[in-house]
């Protein structure tokens, strides 16, 4: 089955899992917050992080049911970060994938709270997961490190600080590795944590692969911000230029950025080509997120 | 030693622990975010939640060093909630304990991010704590439940929804039990989780005590918003009235609210008076937070 079809099938299933997750959360405690939280995760997202984790489960022969709480937790963290990023004080975006952002649909206060509570929910799901204790502990550790000061939040801060400034390639890579890469890597690390037979060296190769596809993903994102239409993106095209951000195309030119994405992509594949697992699904995933057009 | 002196001593020690915690977090990853996070917890707070946990440790004969990560985690969650509550989209407060709030001192974006990253840090501290695995798991579970949708965030949402509305006593108690009570109760529950000899019944009594002092604490907060000066509070006096909130004094009158606080206080003491532990320090704590004048 081609990866697009597989992703679509996964999205349908995963969206049902999300509906189930929220139906298990009593909606009468704080109804508006419940709505804002569910709205924020039900936004037609690509579900790339949970999908990557599911692919890792396939590659490492882990029961896909077992990693489900980790998949939902990853998406909760990703969704909360989008809700907060969209706020007027941050990127000030009214649209996300063609739909009103959370603070437009509800209000700013509930967008802040929905983000906060989605973050908490992520850790709650992990700690209540029906898996062995050491896996649970690893998951919480991985997700906390990837999403906090030393990961996603740190990257978001650096990204804000870099606006209207000229930033070099190394700084740009660092910003993206924290802001976007850390959570993609977490998806892979959470998969590795659920498979005890993995050696440290194998784990490191999977994680290095994740870091590199994270970087390639971001370069592609920068490229699409220049080349794609607002319609295809589901968000305003050219928003990087609008906010005067350094991007791969602005630093390397469009052709240079395309070349760089390809180079990083190849380097990612090299990491996992000799592993004693059928890593083809991961290679397909890498290909897919780098060749995507929106 | 009287409880005020003990609290002061604890605050000094605990503030040093906080400084240590942040010195262990590399400040060169995202310097501005690091500053905003540290600023947000170094705000001269009363440290009541960590203090309550330390008192629980004393009562239950738990090594105070052991519960330190839980104490810091509680304060990280409390601090993050204050930072987000103070935002223009929420309570819009410029001052907190006489100092500029985080979004005034830094900017709104960094106040949002500092709150986010402080929440993550709380879970990271718990999962990295040097305690037995089952205690760690209980701590994460307790803190997540107390601070998320079914706890503090839910309460904050209800509180916002209740502005400019007439709210009955039962709803008001529910709002406060989620918004303020849940985290105070978490301090007590985290202490209980670290002492295996406790029976379920004993645990419930400690937790019921915590719920009741949480309620009394909030009633006293409402009372002080009417009776104390801005100087003593370190925040603008009369802010509840300004935002047209239902409060205990507005529903019961000032005398009625004072009477209610006393009644809840007595009921809290009854919960723990027959327990086979020296619960005097908890009684002193309850007395202290209900008789406080700021």
């Amino acid at each position: 089955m081609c990866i697009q079809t597989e992703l679509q099938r996964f999205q349908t299933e995963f969206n049902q899992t999300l509906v189930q997750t929220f139906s298990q959360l009593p909606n009468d405690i704080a109804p508006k917050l419940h709505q804002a939280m569910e709205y924020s995760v039900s936004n037609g997202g690509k579900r790339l992080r949970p999908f990557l984790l599911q692919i890792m489960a396939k590659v490492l022969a882990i029961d896909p049911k077992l990693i489900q709480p980790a998949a939902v937790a990853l998406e909760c963290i990703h969704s909360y970060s989008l809700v907060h990023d969209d706020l007027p004080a941050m990127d000030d975006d009214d649209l996300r994938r063609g739909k009103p952002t959370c603070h437009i649909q509800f209000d700013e206060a509930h967008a802040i709270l929905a983000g906060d509570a989605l973050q908490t929910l992520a850790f709650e799901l992990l700690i209540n997961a029906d898996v062995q204790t050491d896996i649970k502990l690893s998951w919480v550790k991985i997700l906390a490190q990837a999403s906090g000061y030393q990961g996603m939040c740190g990257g978001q801060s650096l990204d804000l600080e870099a606006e209207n400034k000229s930033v070099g390639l190394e700084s740009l890579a660092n910003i993206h590795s924290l802001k976007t890469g850390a959570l993609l890597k977490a998806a892979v690390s959470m998969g590795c944590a659920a498979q005890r037979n993995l050696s440290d060296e194998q784990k490191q190769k999977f994680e290095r692969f994740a870091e590199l596809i994270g970087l390639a993903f971001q370069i592609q994102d920068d490229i699409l911000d220049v080349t794609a239409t607002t319609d295809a993106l589901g968000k305003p095209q050219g928003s990087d230029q609008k906010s005067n951000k350094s991007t791969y195309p602005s630093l390397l030119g469009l052709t240079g950025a395309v070349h760089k994405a390809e180079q990083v992509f190849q380097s990612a594949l090299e990491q996992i080509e000799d592993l004693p697992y059928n890593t083809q699904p991961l290679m397909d995933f890498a290909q897919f997120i780098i060749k995507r057009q929106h």
Side-chain angles (χ1 to χ4, degrees), chain A residues 146 150-152 155 171-183 185 211 214-215 218 248:
Chain A
Q150 303 194 54
M152 191 182 74
S171 297
L172 193 62
N174 180 45
I175 293 172
H176 291 320
S177 109
L178 294 172
K179 190 182 169 185
T180 318
L183 211 53
K185 187 179 162 192
E211 283 168 3
L215 177 58
Q218 188 57 48
Y248 285 92

Side-chain angles (χ1 to χ4, degrees), chain A residues 14 17-19 21-22 25 36-43 47-50 68-84 111-126 143 147 152 183 190:
Chain A
F14 186 73
T17 307
L18 286 175
V19 169
T21 304
F22 280 91
L25 207 62
M37 288 168 76
E38 190 163 10
Y39 180 85
S40 302
V41 296
S42 318
N43 57 1
R47 317 301 185 194
L48 289 182
R49 290 146 198 84
Q68 217 177 61
V72 178
L74 277 165
E75 195 65 12
C76 285
I77 294 285
H78 177 57
S79 301
Y80 114 67
S81 79
L82 298 182
V83 171
H84 283 186
I112 296 166
L113 282 174
D116 291 345
L118 280 172
Q119 176 174 187
T120 328
L121 181 60
F123 292 109
E124 208 171 355
L125 290 168
L126 293 184
L143 196 65
S147 62
M152 191 182 74
L183 211 53
M190 286 169 113

Side-chain angles (χ1 to χ4, degrees), chain A residues 243-255:
Chain A
S243 55
N244 254 330
K245 280 186 181 175
S246 290
T247 63
Y248 285 92
S250 77
L251 289 175
L252 298 171
L254 194 54
T255 320

Side-chain angles (χ1 to χ4, degrees), chain A residues 20-290:
Chain A
Q20 257 173 22
T21 304
F22 280 91
S23 71
Q24 281 158 10
L25 207 62
N27 64 7
D28 57 349
I29 291 182
K32 187 170 173 183
L33 180 57
H34 193 280
Q35 281 168 35
M37 288 168 76
E38 190 163 10
Y39 180 85
S40 302
V41 296
S42 318
N43 57 1
K46 292 191 279 288
R47 317 301 185 194
L48 289 182
R49 290 146 198 84
F51 186 50
L52 177 55
L53 175 55
Q54 204 229 23
I55 292 174
M56 279 300 290
K58 192 173 166 184
V59 169
L60 298 176
I62 302 163
D63 177 1
K65 272 273 165 211
L66 186 137
I67 51 96
Q68 217 177 61
V72 178
L74 277 165
E75 195 65 12
C76 285
I77 294 285
H78 177 57
S79 301
Y80 114 67
S81 79
L82 298 182
V83 171
H84 283 186
D85 282 9
D86 286 338
L87 285 167
M90 304 267 247
D91 292 351
D92 195 12
D93 280 320
D94 291 355
L95 281 178
R96 162 85 49 194
R97 300 194 190 92
K99 280 174 64 185
T101 47
C102 187
H103 65 277
I104 298 291
Q105 183 72 13
F106 297 87
D107 52 50
E108 261 189 77
H110 273 84
I112 296 166
L113 282 174
D116 291 345
L118 280 172
Q119 176 174 187
T120 328
L121 181 60
F123 292 109
E124 208 171 355
L125 290 168
L126 293 184
I127 213 70
N128 289 321
D130 189 17
V131 295
Q132 278 157 297
T133 305
D134 59 328
I135 298 178
K136 232 184 266 203
L137 290 176
S138 298
W139 281 354
V140 173
K141 199 176 275 199
I142 291 165
L143 196 65
Q145 178 137 25
S147 62
Y149 168 72
Q150 303 194 54
M152 191 182 74
C153 286
Q156 177 65 6
S157 167
L158 291 179
D159 198 28
L160 287 166
E161 290 292 283
E163 273 180 29
N164 304 311
K165 260 186 215 162
S166 173
V167 159
L169 263 186
E170 204 177 322
S171 297
L172 193 62
N174 180 45
I175 293 172
H176 291 320
S177 109
L178 294 172
K179 190 182 169 185
T180 318
L183 211 53
L184 279 165
K185 187 179 162 192
V188 166
S189 301
M190 286 169 113
C192 292
Q195 174 51 276
R196 282 193 189 72
N197 299 333
L198 229 50
S199 72
D200 282 352
E201 199 198 345
Q202 291 169 343
K203 207 182 125 194
Q204 277 158 21
K205 284 189 169 177
F206 278 118
E207 289 180 339
R208 184 74 192 124
F209 162 82
E211 283 168 3
L212 289 165
I213 63 166
L215 177 58
F217 177 79
Q218 188 57 48
I219 302 174
Q220 181 66 2
D221 216 51
D222 284 1
I223 293 168
L224 290 175
D225 193 70
V226 180
T227 60
T229 62
T230 296
D231 239 27
L233 286 177
K235 64 180 180 184
Q237 182 271 340
S239 59
D240 290 338
Q241 218 175 347
K242 194 188 80 184
S243 55
N244 254 330
K245 280 186 181 175
S246 290
T247 63
Y248 285 92
S250 77
L251 289 175
L252 298 171
L254 194 54
T255 320
V258 170
H259 178 72
K260 174 86 181 166
E262 180 62 25
Q263 200 183 26
V264 176
F265 167 62
Q266 289 303 334
S267 171
L269 298 191
E270 281 165 24
Q271 300 298 319
I272 53 166
E273 63 190 5
D274 292 333
L275 288 170
Y277 293 94
N278 176 13
T279 55
Q280 191 57 47
L282 284 172
M283 296 192 180
D284 294 345
F285 178 83
Q287 168 109 23
F288 171 69
I289 65 167
I290 293 152

